[in-house]
Amino acid sequence: MTWVINDHTAAGAGQLSVSKGQQVEVIETVAGSPEWCLVRMPSSGLDPPPEGLVPLSVLKQPPAPTTPRIHELGKYCLLLSFA
């Protein structure tokens, strides 16, 4: 899930209108059009929940994944070997 940081009004077929402050689930980026992605609104009793295309520029970028430091990874593996 990620946050919408700017409003977007659907202007064509397949697009989804979203408002700043909403949360959406990013399903996939669009092949051949990397500035757009397919999102789904959280389930609110509607079946199926609304989904459609929004520009990536209106979404908060998720934090980059962190990689454990070597000594932390080694400590973790060591603990697992005793468990």
Side-chain angles (χ1 to χ4, degrees), residues 33-79:
S33 193
E35 66 275 3
W36 290 85
C37 64
L38 180 63
V39 299
R40 179 181 301 133
M41 301 293 283
S43 180
S44 61
L46 297 177
D47 189 29
E51 62 181 51
L53 300 173
V54 300
L56 281 172
S57 61
V58 304
L59 301 178
K60 180 178 181 181
Q61 296 300 310
T66 58
T67 305
R69 294 185 194 122
I70 293 173
H71 72 276
E72 290 176 340
L73 183 59
K75 190 184 331 181
Y76 182 68
C77 291
L78 181 63
L79 290 173

Side-chain angles (χ1 to χ4, degrees), residues 6 9 29 38 62 65 68 71 75 80:
N6 289 309
T9 302
T29 56
L38 180 63
H71 72 276
K75 190 184 331 181
L80 286 178

Side-chain angles (χ1 to χ4, degrees), residues 1-10 16-26 39-42 44 46 50 54 58-60:
M1 298 290 275
T2 190
W3 292 97
V4 176
I5 57 172
N6 289 309
D7 295 343
H8 169 72
T9 302
L16 182 67
S17 293
V18 291
S19 300
K20 182 178 179 176
Q22 287 181 310
Q23 277 192 301
V24 295
E25 175 186 2
V26 176
V39 299
R40 179 181 301 133
M41 301 293 283
S44 61
L46 297 177
V54 300
V58 304
L59 301 178
K60 180 178 181 181

